[in-house]
Amino acid sequence: QNLVSAYSRLRLRFALLLRTERTSGPTTLWNSRCKGGKIAINEKHEDFPCIIAEALDYIWQLQDVKHAAEALGLTTSQMVKLLAKEPPALAWVNAMRQSKGQPTLKPNK
């Protein structure tokens, strides 16, 4: 159980720290989770690190949350909700936005 938990934390850490250029559109995994502008995934699910990584890759590549959300078939509010499930991901995006003089994003309650 400890090994599984450690592996899960490591995958999430990699998802937060490593960026990859995306050139061929959303992955099959992403498309399987995204329907009608919404994404359905629990933060405890084994696919969660891959989904967060893909969202952050698009945000990093496009340098804009709205454009990244559109490229991934999400609404901007759904993208923010996804990022809020992993606070360090939202903090990374907000730091990027602040460096460009943009306001921070806050999830709707």
Side-chain angles (χ1 to χ4, degrees), residues 12-90:
L12 189 54
R13 187 83 172 141
F14 283 152
L16 295 170
L17 295 176
L18 303 175
R19 301 282 53 88
T20 301
E21 186 175 345
R22 305 281 180 155
T23 57
S24 61
T27 62
T28 303
L29 175 62
W30 183 277
N31 287 331
S32 74
R33 295 281 182 174
C34 184
K35 302 285 186 249
K38 295 183 177 187
I39 191 150
I41 190 159
N42 185 291
E43 55 272 18
K44 293 184 186 340
H45 194 280
E46 68 180 349
D47 290 341
F48 184 71
C50 295
I51 295 294
I52 283 290
E54 190 161 353
L56 293 176
D57 287 347
Y58 271 85
I59 293 168
W60 169 72
Q61 193 168 333
L62 298 174
Q63 292 291 301
D64 184 82
V65 174
K66 180 181 178 186
H67 291 134
E70 289 171 354
L72 289 166
L74 289 182
T75 63
T76 304
S77 63
Q78 282 293 305
M79 177 68 87
V80 175
K81 276 185 176 180
L82 172 65
L83 296 170
K85 289 182 178 186
E86 183 56 33
L90 185 59

